[in-house]
Amino acid sequence: MKPRILVVRGGAIGDFILTLPAIGLLRENFPDARLEILGYQHIIELARGRFYADDTRSIEYGPMAGFFVPTSKLAPDLVEYFASFQQVISYLFDPDLFFESNLRRAGVKNFLPAYARIDDSQHAAQQLARPLQKLALFLEDAAARLHPSEEDRAAAERFLGVSDAPVIAIHPGSGSPRKNWPAENWAALGRWLHRHTPQARLLLIGGEADAVPISTVRAALREARVLVAQNLPLPHLGAVLQRCRLFLGHDSGMSHLAAAVGTPCVLLFGPTDPAVWAPANPGVRVVAAPGGDLRQLLLAEVQPSITEELDRP
């Protein structure tokens, strides 16, 4: 019988992708184990059947709530589920140890708490992998990598259509307004890109929270060939980004997604430290805002990095 390992990982898209090097360390060192991930289904789907996870399970399943309440009655199916793993590694914030205590009540014998508040000591992926040192696992490469499936790539081909024109992806949002370059700057950059590389198609990326900046940029690019990808399934979006010539964005989960599929990136950083939070992948260029204030970052300071990347063979 194969040993079973469970990784519990909540958090946003970027948090999950930054944890992939640690999960990959488990996958590489225990290749015969069955590795599963418990988290937000639309995010952890990036890993299911795509190297990292044999299966995934949603943490938003109703009876799961009992595991976050002390001495609660635990759902029998979840007791059986958790007890089936020889090792559970949890990145959940659990200051009162309610989750850990209930897992132990369910029969989990080997539980490794892996939550850590990220500081400025080293790259976030290194810090997220640090708890695995208790299993004698040490991370050397902090770059996260994703592996789109054949179905993902087919979906990307349907979305992009048949065209040899290069695609430049733009994500004008992030999880925090403080990390965003003003939308009118993105609009000006889009107009410049259309003049500089008229043969390219521009791809605007975002979710519901990015509707306003996407609308602003889209309105400024009426004469350009523009595609809009809003709320695509993340595995499909990853495959779309993999086919892009360049990705432009901020400190965001979308930037980590683009870097993890190998797309060259130019990323604008403001209040966060790129030494900790920027993707560690090759081909990632960071443009830091003066004083960490993206409102002070001029278009002329961004253009050279983009030009250099587009001119690169």
Side-chain angles (χ1 to χ4, degrees):
M1 182 178 177
K2 284 187 175 184
R4 291 166 57 84
I5 300 172
L6 176 67
V7 177
V8 185
R9 184 51 163 135
I13 298 167
D15 299 322
F16 180 70
I17 295 176
L18 282 165
T19 313
L20 285 179
I23 299 174
L25 201 57
L26 291 166
R27 177 83 287 169
E28 291 163 2
N29 283 274
F30 302 103
D32 296 327
R34 180 175 177 83
L35 197 155
E36 299 190 16
I37 301 174
L38 173 68
Y40 296 114
Q41 193 63 53
H42 71 289
I43 296 176
I44 60 177
E45 186 67 16
L46 285 165
R48 187 175 66 88
R50 299 168 176 88
F51 173 68
Y52 295 98
D54 296 291
D55 205 355
T56 57
R57 185 162 184 159
S58 175
I59 201 169
E60 297 177 288
Y61 175 55
M64 194 76 68
F67 281 79
F68 299 94
V69 178
T71 65
S72 63
K73 184 177 180 181
L74 305 178
D77 62 323
L78 290 176
V79 169
E80 181 180 2
Y81 171 71
F82 285 120
S84 70
F85 292 96
Q86 282 71 45
Q87 178 70 62
V88 176
I89 300 158
S90 175
Y91 284 92
L92 297 185
F93 181 56
D94 187 27
D96 298 311
L97 306 183
F98 293 158
F99 184 67
E100 178 179 348
S101 298
N102 283 323
L103 285 194
R104 294 192 184 282
R105 286 175 55 210
V108 172
K109 293 181 174 60
N110 296 304
F111 180 89
L112 177 60
Y115 173 82
R117 191 175 298 279
I118 304 300
D119 57 31
D120 60 359
S121 62
Q122 60 183 159
H123 193 272
Q126 293 282 1
Q127 296 186 58
L128 289 164
R130 195 183 295 159
L132 299 186
Q133 293 178 8
K134 295 179 180 178
L135 302 177
L137 302 179
F138 297 86
L139 184 67
E140 295 181 0
D141 184 1
R145 293 176 177 84
L146 285 164
H147 309 280
S149 67
E150 289 295 333
E151 193 275 328
D152 299 333
R153 287 192 285 270
E157 188 172 349
R158 290 192 299 271
F159 178 84
L160 292 171
V162 179
S163 174
D164 293 329
V167 179
I168 300 174
I170 299 174
H171 179 225
S174 75
S176 167
R178 293 179 61 242
K179 297 193 291 184
N180 291 351
W181 204 32
E184 56 269 23
N185 290 3
W186 282 112
L189 177 62
R191 289 192 295 268
W192 171 77
L193 277 170
H194 178 52
R195 294 192 302 271
H196 182 274
T197 315
Q199 74 276 19
R201 291 188 293 170
L202 302 182
L203 171 65
L204 298 179
I205 294 170
E208 294 177 2
D210 303 316
V212 172
I214 284 180
S215 177
T216 300
V217 178
R218 183 71 185 91
L221 298 174
R222 291 190 178 93
E223 297 180 2
R225 291 187 290 174
V226 177
L227 294 168
V228 179
Q230 281 189 280
N231 304 312
L232 283 183
L234 288 176
H236 294 178
L237 179 58
V240 169
L241 290 172
Q242 193 173 52
R243 293 183 54 179
C244 291
R245 174 65 184 84
L246 181 63
F247 175 91
L248 308 174
H250 304 115
D251 174 11
S252 73
M254 291 297 103
S255 298
H256 284 281
L257 180 62
V261 295
T263 302
C265 300
V266 174
L267 306 180
L268 314 184
F269 266 67
T272 51
D273 184 356
V276 177
W277 295 108
N281 306 69
V284 173
R285 297 169 181 255
V286 171
V287 180
D293 185 355
L294 279 162
R295 295 172 299 179
Q296 305 302 316
L297 182 63
L298 302 178
L299 176 61
E301 297 174 280
V302 177
Q303 290 166 326
S305 293
I306 296 174
T307 300
E308 289 174 15
E309 183 56 47
L310 290 176
D311 290 346
R312 184 177 61 83

